[in-house]
Amino acid sequence: MGLLLILMTISHSALAFHSVTSSWTAQSQPLLGRAVDNSSLLRCLQVTPPVLRPDNLCQQTLMVHTFAFSYGQPFVGNYYPPPCDFNRVALEFTVTSAGRQFDRLAVMYLDDIEIFRTSTAEPTANGIIWTYTKDVSAYSTLFNARHKIVFDLGNLIDDIYTGTWNTTLVATFFKADNTLDPADVIIPISAHKSAANKASAFIVPESKAIDSLQLPKNTKKAVFSISACGQSAEEFWWSNVLSSDTRVFGNDTTLYGHSPFRELQLLIDGNLAGVAWPFPVIFTGGIVPGFWRPLVGIDTFDLKEDEIDISPFIPLVNDGYAHTFEIRVVGIDDDDNGIGHLTENIESNWVVTGKVFIWIESGTNLTTGTLPVISSPPPVLRLQSTTKKHVNGTIDSLKYAIHVSRQISVESTIMFPTGLKTLSWKQNLEFSNSGTLSNQGNDQIMRQITSGTSTSSSGYTRSFEYPLWVVSSYNAPSGGNITIDGRLGRGKNVKQLGELAFLNEWRTFDLNRLPSAPQNLSFIGSSTKNWQNGTASYLSVPALKKSYGSGNTEQLFALSGINERAESVVQGPADETRVSDEISEELYQRCIIAGNDTIVHDKERFGGQHNQRGLLNLLSHNSPVVSVPEYANSWVKAVLGRGPN
Ligand SMILES: *[C@@H]1O[C@H](CO)[C@@H](O)[C@H](O)[C@H]1NC(C)=O
Ligand SMILES: *[C@@H]1O[C@H](CO)[C@@H](O)[C@H](O)[C@H]1NC(C)=O
Ligand SMILES: *[C@@H]1O[C@H](CO)[C@@H](O)[C@H](O)[C@H]1NC(C)=O
Ligand SMILES: *[C@@H]1O[C@H](CO)[C@@H](O)[C@H](O)[C@H]1NC(C)=O
Ligand SMILES: *[C@@H]1O[C@H](CO)[C@@H](O)[C@H](O)[C@H]1NC(C)=O
Ligand SMILES: *[C@@H]1O[C@H](CO)[C@@H](O)[C@H](O)[C@H]1NC(C)=O
Ligand SMILES: *[C@@H]1O[C@H](CO)[C@@H](O)[C@H](O)[C@H]1NC(C)=O
Ligand SMILES: *[C@@H]1O[C@H](CO)[C@@H](O)[C@H](O)[C@H]1NC(C)=O
Ligand SMILES: *[C@@H]1O[C@H](CO)[C@@H](O)[C@H](O)[C@H]1NC(C)=O
């Protein structure tokens, strides 16, 4: 995705000490329609709970396509609804690739509406294969009608980058769980380019992610979803420094600025309706590629969307006129004195789309109510940075720390046929990031945590925690060799009660895999804990046209269903306190360790103990004691580059 990744890609094609120029044996069979010998291909995977997808006859192959040189040339096909009755849809995306190639971003659309955002593993000379299954039942209303399929996977082929992507996309339609309530109408906030057979994402900040929509007058519930990820110079946004510090190591070493904080904002007619603080997705070429093969990063094959309940805005937007919806990606610029402000002036770029999911109240013509009361004071920012100098006056290291907190609340009262109801959306978010750069910026230690809770009056509550720490060291001594050493730990822990547009995680889990699952097993929510940590290094020896990589990564994943809220009264010394807690049931757990292209340990467990009061405690995100080896003084990131700039 950037120049750094080009070099990293070379490294990885040569993993296990093969020459980077080795070619692969061509296969003559087509990918689909007959058995392909995939036994020699390295199987890559993203750890996720198995998704319910029964083997049934109601399947459609939506795409069989090879992406070779495919920039600006998405696959375009037609979708026709299947001849079967369904309330669930699962996509199965299978990819093979051999040769040398970057990691690539891919987005699938039905017309102008984004359905699925994924990215690729990096191939080996001998070839890789992966399959990812994704539940897309939230889009049932779209799958019931005819659409154009646009699948955009921009790839480059030349003398060096030889890997093409052989892909198949199969949809399975089935019936399960009659308590689902998918949206009646889905309206995109996108660049609307499907008519020209193009992808409809906005590229921000080059273009504004803004659209004008008209909502049905009898909308009773509306949910906004944001899909956005940083690319090129914004790919590693979480490792950026304060804008006032970008030249701290001198003018030859420009660090990326606008701080390591990013916020995705939704504005409706210019009013802030809610925000999403993004999960730091790391692609398979990220930091050191050796971390990510064959085990890819959290969400790498399935970039998730954040949701905002915009139902309190219904009285503002259902007047039959068009209203503007805008998604902004902001960072922080500062004055070098600890004072900062949010800015849309970030580096290039973010790939952004949005959607409004709408539920209709039949039997009425107009939903009425009070205009939303919005409380969204600017976030509270705390910014710090200090430098340490050598005795001769040059900078030894830069230390920085950023803390952001924000509270948002939107409320309105709506007249439903059943009576007046107060609708609300509340967010309480916290972010902190601290780091040290030394050795002319070649060594970095950073630690970040994003956490928060978003609550809707509909009963939806999502609490999340995204910890991340990275230690990286770049070195390019004279002679041309380049090395990168990295260690990292990261997690994504989410507890969600209820649901907005997308199905709660427990619903998409294949409950049939449980040893004894009652047919009607049902939960009010779910909790997922996901943790990855690893060590990886990379060496490039341009003189020999060779490069080498190694890496060890381990991952722990656990999914629990939350049965009910249990309220108990605890008798304290002074008073009695009401404690609200959930009773949860473990559904799935996986512990996996990969080392140098091989899975060396893999344990899965379906079902498990009944965990009362709080969830499993098996996952911790304690960081190890961090020490950084000393390297020479050259500015390797400048040599490698991190993007097109
Ligand atoms: C991709 O498909 C082409 C054409 O069918 C085939 O020659 C090639 O071997 C396939 N590559 C992989 C890695 O499966
Ligand atoms: C690999 O090949 C086997 C045997 O032909 C087949 O059963 C399996 O589905 C294939 N796997 C993928 C991911 O295509
Ligand atoms: C770095 O560049 C800035 C702006 O161009 C200039 O003011 C400054 O003197 C330069 N510093 C050095 C050490 O060259
Ligand atoms: C909706 O509007 C139509 C046409 O104006 C009217 O006939 C109908 O009674 C209205 N329905 C309701 C439930 O108000
Ligand atoms: C300043 O001191 C540091 C640490 O001793 C050394 O690495 C660096 O080369 C020195 N720089 C200059 C310009 O003398
Ligand atoms: C580059 O790395 C290779 C492999 O470790 C080593 O043999 C060679 O001496 C290194 N070259 C230089 C100039 O350091
Ligand atoms: C779920 O299944 C159990 C056992 O079969 C039954 O007793 C219970 O009534 C069912 N609950 C619902 C909501 O259908
Ligand atoms: C992951 O972290 C644990 C705990 O600090 C450590 O023991 C383990 O070696 C790490 N694994 C890898 C692959 O770095
Ligand atoms: C992977 O290779 C590195 C470097 O050769 C080595 O230190 C590490 O132990 C290897 N890991 C496994 C799991 O074999």
Side-chain angles (χ1 to χ4, degrees), residues 109-139:
Y109 305 83
L110 288 180
D111 298 334
D112 298 335
I113 305 177
E114 175 171 341
I115 305 293
F116 175 36
R117 183 177 299 207
T118 184
S119 72
T120 65
E122 293 195 342
T124 60
N126 291 327
I128 59 168
I129 183 166
W130 78 89
T131 294
Y132 187 82
T133 306
K134 180 177 175 69
D135 187 281
V136 290
S137 307
Y139 303 101

PDB file of all heavy atoms in Angstrom, residues 109-139:
ATOM      1  N   TYR A 109     -19.440  -3.854  -3.512  1.00  0.00           N
ATOM      2  CA  TYR A 109     -20.635  -2.998  -3.487  1.00  0.00           C
ATOM      3  C   TYR A 109     -21.796  -3.698  -4.184  1.00  0.00           C
ATOM      4  O   TYR A 109     -21.589  -4.466  -5.124  1.00  0.00           O
ATOM      5  CB  TYR A 109     -20.404  -1.706  -4.273  1.00  0.00           C
ATOM      6  CG  TYR A 109     -19.210  -0.888  -3.864  1.00  0.00           C
ATOM      7  CD1 TYR A 109     -17.936  -1.196  -4.336  1.00  0.00           C
ATOM      8  CD2 TYR A 109     -19.364   0.218  -3.030  1.00  0.00           C
ATOM      9  CE1 TYR A 109     -16.828  -0.430  -3.972  1.00  0.00           C
ATOM     10  CE2 TYR A 109     -18.273   0.991  -2.668  1.00  0.00           C
ATOM     11  CZ  TYR A 109     -17.005   0.658  -3.137  1.00  0.00           C
ATOM     12  OH  TYR A 109     -15.920   1.418  -2.788  1.00  0.00           O
ATOM     13  N   LEU A 110     -23.016  -3.416  -3.748  1.00  0.00           N
ATOM     14  CA  LEU A 110     -24.214  -3.642  -4.554  1.00  0.00           C
ATOM     15  C   LEU A 110     -24.614  -2.245  -5.011  1.00  0.00           C
ATOM     16  O   LEU A 110     -24.923  -1.373  -4.181  1.00  0.00           O
ATOM     17  CB  LEU A 110     -25.324  -4.301  -3.735  1.00  0.00           C
ATOM     18  CG  LEU A 110     -25.098  -5.779  -3.373  1.00  0.00           C
ATOM     19  CD1 LEU A 110     -26.268  -6.315  -2.555  1.00  0.00           C
ATOM     20  CD2 LEU A 110     -24.867  -6.660  -4.609  1.00  0.00           C
ATOM     21  N   ASP A 111     -24.536  -1.995  -6.297  1.00  0.00           N
ATOM     22  CA  ASP A 111     -24.684  -0.639  -6.843  1.00  0.00           C
ATOM     23  C   ASP A 111     -23.699   0.303  -6.131  1.00  0.00           C
ATOM     24  O   ASP A 111     -22.513   0.031  -6.135  1.00  0.00           O
ATOM     25  CB  ASP A 111     -26.131  -0.133  -6.713  1.00  0.00           C
ATOM     26  CG  ASP A 111     -27.112  -1.008  -7.504  1.00  0.00           C
ATOM     27  OD1 ASP A 111     -26.676  -1.624  -8.484  1.00  0.00           O
ATOM     28  OD2 ASP A 111     -28.277  -1.083  -7.114  1.00  0.00           O
ATOM     29  N   ASP A 112     -24.226   1.341  -5.470  1.00  0.00           N
ATOM     30  CA  ASP A 112     -23.343   2.325  -4.823  1.00  0.00           C
ATOM     31  C   ASP A 112     -23.157   2.039  -3.330  1.00  0.00           C
ATOM     32  O   ASP A 112     -22.625   2.875  -2.604  1.00  0.00           O
ATOM     33  CB  ASP A 112     -23.953   3.723  -4.964  1.00  0.00           C
ATOM     34  CG  ASP A 112     -24.081   4.149  -6.421  1.00  0.00           C
ATOM     35  OD1 ASP A 112     -23.308   3.638  -7.258  1.00  0.00           O
ATOM     36  OD2 ASP A 112     -24.955   4.982  -6.712  1.00  0.00           O
ATOM     37  N   ILE A 113     -23.635   0.879  -2.887  1.00  0.00           N
ATOM     38  CA  ILE A 113     -23.658   0.599  -1.443  1.00  0.00           C
ATOM     39  C   ILE A 113     -22.575  -0.404  -1.063  1.00  0.00           C
ATOM     40  O   ILE A 113     -22.545  -1.539  -1.563  1.00  0.00           O
ATOM     41  CB  ILE A 113     -25.041   0.049  -1.037  1.00  0.00           C
ATOM     42  CG1 ILE A 113     -26.143   1.017  -1.475  1.00  0.00           C
ATOM     43  CG2 ILE A 113     -25.093  -0.220   0.456  1.00  0.00           C
ATOM     44  CD1 ILE A 113     -27.541   0.523  -1.177  1.00  0.00           C
ATOM     45  N   GLU A 114     -21.686   0.001  -0.187  1.00  0.00           N
ATOM     46  CA  GLU A 114     -20.635  -0.918   0.269  1.00  0.00           C
ATOM     47  C   GLU A 114     -21.243  -2.037   1.117  1.00  0.00           C
ATOM     48  O   GLU A 114     -22.036  -1.787   2.025  1.00  0.00           O
ATOM     49  CB  GLU A 114     -19.599  -0.148   1.101  1.00  0.00           C
ATOM     50  CG  GLU A 114     -18.558  -1.081   1.703  1.00  0.00           C
ATOM     51  CD  GLU A 114     -17.377  -0.381   2.366  1.00  0.00           C
ATOM     52  OE1 GLU A 114     -17.145   0.813   2.086  1.00  0.00           O
ATOM     53  OE2 GLU A 114     -16.690  -1.047   3.153  1.00  0.00           O
ATOM     54  N   ILE A 115     -20.834  -3.286   0.835  1.00  0.00           N
ATOM     55  CA  ILE A 115     -21.340  -4.455   1.545  1.00  0.00           C
ATOM     56  C   ILE A 115     -20.246  -5.112   2.378  1.00  0.00           C
ATOM     57  O   ILE A 115     -20.473  -5.617   3.472  1.00  0.00           O
ATOM     58  CB  ILE A 115     -21.888  -5.506   0.539  1.00  0.00           C
ATOM     59  CG1 ILE A 115     -22.945  -4.900  -0.383  1.00  0.00           C
ATOM     60  CG2 ILE A 115     -22.408  -6.752   1.243  1.00  0.00           C
ATOM     61  CD1 ILE A 115     -24.232  -4.486   0.299  1.00  0.00           C
ATOM     62  N   PHE A 116     -19.029  -5.128   1.839  1.00  0.00           N
ATOM     63  CA  PHE A 116     -17.966  -5.920   2.454  1.00  0.00           C
ATOM     64  C   PHE A 116     -16.632  -5.264   2.110  1.00  0.00           C
ATOM     65  O   PHE A 116     -16.359  -4.983   0.943  1.00  0.00           O
ATOM     66  CB  PHE A 116     -18.050  -7.353   1.892  1.00  0.00           C
ATOM     67  CG  PHE A 116     -16.971  -8.314   2.320  1.00  0.00           C
ATOM     68  CD1 PHE A 116     -16.433  -8.295   3.596  1.00  0.00           C
ATOM     69  CD2 PHE A 116     -16.507  -9.283   1.423  1.00  0.00           C
ATOM     70  CE1 PHE A 116     -15.448  -9.209   3.978  1.00  0.00           C
ATOM     71  CE2 PHE A 116     -15.531 -10.199   1.798  1.00  0.00           C
ATOM     72  CZ  PHE A 116     -15.001 -10.155   3.076  1.00  0.00           C
ATOM     73  N   ARG A 117     -15.834  -4.983   3.147  1.00  0.00           N
ATOM     74  CA  ARG A 117     -14.496  -4.435   2.925  1.00  0.00           C
ATOM     75  C   ARG A 117     -13.479  -5.412   3.482  1.00  0.00           C
ATOM     76  O   ARG A 117     -13.553  -5.806   4.646  1.00  0.00           O
ATOM     77  CB  ARG A 117     -14.355  -3.068   3.591  1.00  0.00           C
ATOM     78  CG  ARG A 117     -13.008  -2.407   3.333  1.00  0.00           C
ATOM     79  CD  ARG A 117     -12.916  -1.019   3.944  1.00  0.00           C
ATOM     80  NE  ARG A 117     -13.902  -0.080   3.419  1.00  0.00           N
ATOM     81  CZ  ARG A 117     -13.730   1.244   3.375  1.00  0.00           C
ATOM     82  NH1 ARG A 117     -12.594   1.782   3.813  1.00  0.00           N
ATOM     83  NH2 ARG A 117     -14.687   2.028   2.920  1.00  0.00           N
ATOM     84  N   THR A 118     -12.537  -5.799   2.648  1.00  0.00           N
ATOM     85  CA  THR A 118     -11.544  -6.792   3.065  1.00  0.00           C
ATOM     86  C   THR A 118     -10.171  -6.344   2.580  1.00  0.00           C
ATOM     87  O   THR A 118     -10.047  -5.318   1.911  1.00  0.00           O
ATOM     88  CB  THR A 118     -11.927  -8.182   2.495  1.00  0.00           C
ATOM     89  OG1 THR A 118     -11.013  -9.182   2.976  1.00  0.00           O
ATOM     90  CG2 THR A 118     -11.898  -8.206   0.972  1.00  0.00           C
ATOM     91  N   SER A 119      -9.123  -7.070   2.954  1.00  0.00           N
ATOM     92  CA  SER A 119      -7.805  -6.814   2.384  1.00  0.00           C
ATOM     93  C   SER A 119      -7.133  -8.163   2.204  1.00  0.00           C
ATOM     94  O   SER A 119      -7.624  -9.183   2.682  1.00  0.00           O
ATOM     95  CB  SER A 119      -6.980  -5.877   3.267  1.00  0.00           C
ATOM     96  OG  SER A 119      -6.564  -6.530   4.444  1.00  0.00           O
ATOM     97  N   THR A 120      -6.033  -8.166   1.495  1.00  0.00           N
ATOM     98  CA  THR A 120      -5.435  -9.451   1.109  1.00  0.00           C
ATOM     99  C   THR A 120      -4.236  -9.802   1.969  1.00  0.00           C
ATOM    100  O   THR A 120      -3.556  -8.931   2.508  1.00  0.00           O
ATOM    101  CB  THR A 120      -4.977  -9.410  -0.358  1.00  0.00           C
ATOM    102  OG1 THR A 120      -3.922  -8.453  -0.458  1.00  0.00           O
ATOM    103  CG2 THR A 120      -6.101  -9.023  -1.287  1.00  0.00           C
ATOM    104  N   ALA A 121      -3.971 -11.105   2.051  1.00  0.00           N
ATOM    105  CA  ALA A 121      -2.709 -11.577   2.616  1.00  0.00           C
ATOM    106  C   ALA A 121      -1.642 -11.372   1.536  1.00  0.00           C
ATOM    107  O   ALA A 121      -1.965 -11.175   0.366  1.00  0.00           O
ATOM    108  CB  ALA A 121      -2.839 -13.051   2.979  1.00  0.00           C
ATOM    109  N   GLU A 122      -0.370 -11.394   1.910  1.00  0.00           N
ATOM    110  CA  GLU A 122       0.675 -11.257   0.899  1.00  0.00           C
ATOM    111  C   GLU A 122       1.076 -12.650   0.416  1.00  0.00           C
ATOM    112  O   GLU A 122       1.300 -13.547   1.226  1.00  0.00           O
ATOM    113  CB  GLU A 122       1.880 -10.520   1.486  1.00  0.00           C
ATOM    114  CG  GLU A 122       1.545  -9.076   1.797  1.00  0.00           C
ATOM    115  CD  GLU A 122       2.771  -8.208   2.028  1.00  0.00           C
ATOM    116  OE1 GLU A 122       3.862  -8.744   2.280  1.00  0.00           O
ATOM    117  OE2 GLU A 122       2.624  -6.981   1.936  1.00  0.00           O
ATOM    118  N   PRO A 123       1.159 -12.854  -0.894  1.00  0.00           N
ATOM    119  CA  PRO A 123       1.426 -14.209  -1.403  1.00  0.00           C
ATOM    120  C   PRO A 123       2.884 -14.644  -1.213  1.00  0.00           C
ATOM    121  O   PRO A 123       3.761 -13.822  -0.930  1.00  0.00           O
ATOM    122  CB  PRO A 123       1.099 -14.086  -2.886  1.00  0.00           C
ATOM    123  CG  PRO A 123       1.291 -12.642  -3.220  1.00  0.00           C
ATOM    124  CD  PRO A 123       0.938 -11.883  -1.977  1.00  0.00           C
ATOM    125  N   THR A 124       3.100 -15.915  -1.401  1.00  0.00           N
ATOM    126  CA  THR A 124       4.453 -16.485  -1.459  1.00  0.00           C
ATOM    127  C   THR A 124       4.677 -16.947  -2.887  1.00  0.00           C
ATOM    128  O   THR A 124       3.738 -17.017  -3.680  1.00  0.00           O
ATOM    129  CB  THR A 124       4.569 -17.720  -0.555  1.00  0.00           C
ATOM    130  OG1 THR A 124       3.617 -18.694  -1.008  1.00  0.00           O
ATOM    131  CG2 THR A 124       4.285 -17.394   0.891  1.00  0.00           C
ATOM    132  N   ALA A 125       5.892 -17.306  -3.184  1.00  0.00           N
ATOM    133  CA  ALA A 125       6.198 -17.811  -4.524  1.00  0.00           C
ATOM    134  C   ALA A 125       5.389 -19.068  -4.814  1.00  0.00           C
ATOM    135  O   ALA A 125       4.898 -19.276  -5.917  1.00  0.00           O
ATOM    136  CB  ALA A 125       7.690 -18.088  -4.628  1.00  0.00           C
ATOM    137  N   ASN A 126       5.229 -19.926  -3.807  1.00  0.00           N
ATOM    138  CA  ASN A 126       4.499 -21.182  -4.014  1.00  0.00           C
ATOM    139  C   ASN A 126       2.996 -21.012  -3.928  1.00  0.00           C
ATOM    140  O   ASN A 126       2.266 -21.926  -4.290  1.00  0.00           O
ATOM    141  CB  ASN A 126       4.936 -22.230  -2.991  1.00  0.00           C
ATOM    142  CG  ASN A 126       6.354 -22.692  -3.246  1.00  0.00           C
ATOM    143  OD1 ASN A 126       6.784 -22.759  -4.395  1.00  0.00           O
ATOM    144  ND2 ASN A 126       7.086 -22.965  -2.183  1.00  0.00           N
ATOM    145  N   GLY A 127       2.534 -19.913  -3.398  1.00  0.00           N
ATOM    146  CA  GLY A 127       1.097 -19.653  -3.397  1.00  0.00           C
ATOM    147  C   GLY A 127       0.454 -19.766  -2.033  1.00  0.00           C
ATOM    148  O   GLY A 127       0.891 -20.514  -1.165  1.00  0.00           O
ATOM    149  N   ILE A 128      -0.588 -18.965  -1.885  1.00  0.00           N
ATOM    150  CA  ILE A 128      -1.371 -18.964  -0.649  1.00  0.00           C
ATOM    151  C   ILE A 128      -2.840 -19.119  -0.996  1.00  0.00           C
ATOM    152  O   ILE A 128      -3.249 -18.890  -2.146  1.00  0.00           O
ATOM    153  CB  ILE A 128      -1.175 -17.662   0.163  1.00  0.00           C
ATOM    154  CG1 ILE A 128      -1.581 -16.436  -0.670  1.00  0.00           C
ATOM    155  CG2 ILE A 128       0.255 -17.531   0.648  1.00  0.00           C
ATOM    156  CD1 ILE A 128      -1.686 -15.148   0.138  1.00  0.00           C
ATOM    157  N   ILE A 129      -3.644 -19.489   0.011  1.00  0.00           N
ATOM    158  CA  ILE A 129      -5.092 -19.590  -0.172  1.00  0.00           C
ATOM    159  C   ILE A 129      -5.762 -19.178   1.125  1.00  0.00           C
ATOM    160  O   ILE A 129      -5.210 -19.417   2.207  1.00  0.00           O
ATOM    161  CB  ILE A 129      -5.504 -21.025  -0.569  1.00  0.00           C
ATOM    162  CG1 ILE A 129      -7.031 -21.109  -0.823  1.00  0.00           C
ATOM    163  CG2 ILE A 129      -5.081 -22.055   0.488  1.00  0.00           C
ATOM    164  CD1 ILE A 129      -7.456 -22.395  -1.530  1.00  0.00           C
ATOM    165  N   TRP A 130      -6.897 -18.494   1.038  1.00  0.00           N
ATOM    166  CA  TRP A 130      -7.700 -18.298   2.229  1.00  0.00           C
ATOM    167  C   TRP A 130      -9.169 -18.209   1.860  1.00  0.00           C
ATOM    168  O   TRP A 130      -9.504 -17.914   0.713  1.00  0.00           O
ATOM    169  CB  TRP A 130      -7.260 -17.072   3.036  1.00  0.00           C
ATOM    170  CG  TRP A 130      -7.700 -15.749   2.504  1.00  0.00           C
ATOM    171  CD1 TRP A 130      -8.859 -15.075   2.784  1.00  0.00           C
ATOM    172  CD2 TRP A 130      -6.968 -14.890   1.610  1.00  0.00           C
ATOM    173  NE1 TRP A 130      -8.883 -13.866   2.127  1.00  0.00           N
ATOM    174  CE2 TRP A 130      -7.749 -13.731   1.393  1.00  0.00           C
ATOM    175  CE3 TRP A 130      -5.730 -14.995   0.981  1.00  0.00           C
ATOM    176  CZ2 TRP A 130      -7.326 -12.693   0.580  1.00  0.00           C
ATOM    177  CZ3 TRP A 130      -5.317 -13.955   0.158  1.00  0.00           C
ATOM    178  CH2 TRP A 130      -6.101 -12.822  -0.029  1.00  0.00           C
ATOM    179  N   THR A 131      -9.999 -18.486   2.857  1.00  0.00           N
ATOM    180  CA  THR A 131     -11.433 -18.352   2.681  1.00  0.00           C
ATOM    181  C   THR A 131     -11.942 -17.573   3.883  1.00  0.00           C
ATOM    182  O   THR A 131     -11.564 -17.868   5.010  1.00  0.00           O
ATOM    183  CB  THR A 131     -12.110 -19.734   2.650  1.00  0.00           C
ATOM    184  OG1 THR A 131     -11.667 -20.419   1.486  1.00  0.00           O
ATOM    185  CG2 THR A 131     -13.623 -19.614   2.584  1.00  0.00           C
ATOM    186  N   TYR A 132     -12.764 -16.582   3.623  1.00  0.00           N
ATOM    187  CA  TYR A 132     -13.365 -15.833   4.720  1.00  0.00           C
ATOM    188  C   TYR A 132     -14.882 -15.845   4.537  1.00  0.00           C
ATOM    189  O   TYR A 132     -15.390 -15.617   3.439  1.00  0.00           O
ATOM    190  CB  TYR A 132     -12.851 -14.381   4.752  1.00  0.00           C
ATOM    191  CG  TYR A 132     -13.346 -13.680   5.984  1.00  0.00           C
ATOM    192  CD1 TYR A 132     -12.679 -13.853   7.200  1.00  0.00           C
ATOM    193  CD2 TYR A 132     -14.503 -12.922   5.965  1.00  0.00           C
ATOM    194  CE1 TYR A 132     -13.162 -13.262   8.363  1.00  0.00           C
ATOM    195  CE2 TYR A 132     -14.990 -12.337   7.123  1.00  0.00           C
ATOM    196  CZ  TYR A 132     -14.311 -12.514   8.320  1.00  0.00           C
ATOM    197  OH  TYR A 132     -14.796 -11.946   9.468  1.00  0.00           O
ATOM    198  N   THR A 133     -15.594 -16.142   5.628  1.00  0.00           N
ATOM    199  CA  THR A 133     -17.056 -16.175   5.572  1.00  0.00           C
ATOM    200  C   THR A 133     -17.609 -14.990   6.341  1.00  0.00           C
ATOM    201  O   THR A 133     -17.184 -14.741   7.473  1.00  0.00           O
ATOM    202  CB  THR A 133     -17.575 -17.490   6.187  1.00  0.00           C
ATOM    203  OG1 THR A 133     -16.911 -18.568   5.519  1.00  0.00           O
ATOM    204  CG2 THR A 133     -19.077 -17.634   5.990  1.00  0.00           C
ATOM    205  N   LYS A 134     -18.531 -14.282   5.724  1.00  0.00           N
ATOM    206  CA  LYS A 134     -19.100 -13.097   6.360  1.00  0.00           C
ATOM    207  C   LYS A 134     -20.621 -13.108   6.260  1.00  0.00           C
ATOM    208  O   LYS A 134     -21.184 -13.284   5.188  1.00  0.00           O
ATOM    209  CB  LYS A 134     -18.576 -11.828   5.677  1.00  0.00           C
ATOM    210  CG  LYS A 134     -19.140 -10.564   6.317  1.00  0.00           C
ATOM    211  CD  LYS A 134     -18.567  -9.326   5.693  1.00  0.00           C
ATOM    212  CE  LYS A 134     -19.206  -8.062   6.225  1.00  0.00           C
ATOM    213  NZ  LYS A 134     -18.883  -7.756   7.618  1.00  0.00           N
ATOM    214  N   ASP A 135     -21.259 -12.904   7.390  1.00  0.00           N
ATOM    215  CA  ASP A 135     -22.712 -12.789   7.399  1.00  0.00           C
ATOM    216  C   ASP A 135     -23.105 -11.386   6.926  1.00  0.00           C
ATOM    217  O   ASP A 135     -22.599 -10.386   7.441  1.00  0.00           O
ATOM    218  CB  ASP A 135     -23.249 -13.031   8.810  1.00  0.00           C
ATOM    219  CG  ASP A 135     -24.767 -13.086   8.807  1.00  0.00           C
ATOM    220  OD1 ASP A 135     -25.407 -12.016   8.766  1.00  0.00           O
ATOM    221  OD2 ASP A 135     -25.303 -14.199   8.808  1.00  0.00           O
ATOM    222  N   VAL A 136     -23.983 -11.320   5.950  1.00  0.00           N
ATOM    223  CA  VAL A 136     -24.429 -10.027   5.430  1.00  0.00           C
ATOM    224  C   VAL A 136     -25.950  -9.920   5.485  1.00  0.00           C
ATOM    225  O   VAL A 136     -26.570  -9.229   4.663  1.00  0.00           O
ATOM    226  CB  VAL A 136     -23.902  -9.781   3.985  1.00  0.00           C
ATOM    227  CG1 VAL A 136     -22.403  -9.540   3.989  1.00  0.00           C
ATOM    228  CG2 VAL A 136     -24.232 -10.951   3.060  1.00  0.00           C
ATOM    229  N   SER A 137     -26.539 -10.605   6.466  1.00  0.00           N
ATOM    230  CA  SER A 137     -28.008 -10.613   6.579  1.00  0.00           C
ATOM    231  C   SER A 137     -28.580  -9.218   6.816  1.00  0.00           C
ATOM    232  O   SER A 137     -29.750  -8.974   6.516  1.00  0.00           O
ATOM    233  CB  SER A 137     -28.443 -11.529   7.720  1.00  0.00           C
ATOM    234  OG  SER A 137     -27.885 -12.803   7.572  1.00  0.00           O
ATOM    235  N   ALA A 138     -27.779  -8.303   7.335  1.00  0.00           N
ATOM    236  CA  ALA A 138     -28.261  -6.935   7.559  1.00  0.00           C
ATOM    237  C   ALA A 138     -28.690  -6.288   6.245  1.00  0.00           C
ATOM    238  O   ALA A 138     -29.453  -5.325   6.242  1.00  0.00           O
ATOM    239  CB  ALA A 138     -27.174  -6.095   8.218  1.00  0.00           C
ATOM    240  N   TYR A 139     -28.192  -6.830   5.118  1.00  0.00           N
ATOM    241  CA  TYR A 139     -28.515  -6.270   3.800  1.00  0.00           C
ATOM    242  C   TYR A 139     -29.584  -7.073   3.083  1.00  0.00           C
ATOM    243  O   TYR A 139     -29.717  -6.980   1.857  1.00  0.00           O
ATOM    244  CB  TYR A 139     -27.251  -6.231   2.939  1.00  0.00           C
ATOM    245  CG  TYR A 139     -26.115  -5.447   3.546  1.00  0.00           C
ATOM    246  CD1 TYR A 139     -25.062  -6.097   4.187  1.00  0.00           C
ATOM    247  CD2 TYR A 139     -26.091  -4.060   3.475  1.00  0.00           C
ATOM    248  CE1 TYR A 139     -24.018  -5.384   4.750  1.00  0.00           C
ATOM    249  CE2 TYR A 139     -25.050  -3.343   4.028  1.00  0.00           C
ATOM    250  CZ  TYR A 139     -24.012  -4.016   4.665  1.00  0.00           C
ATOM    251  OH  TYR A 139     -22.983  -3.304   5.212  1.00  0.00           O
TER     252      TYR A 139
END
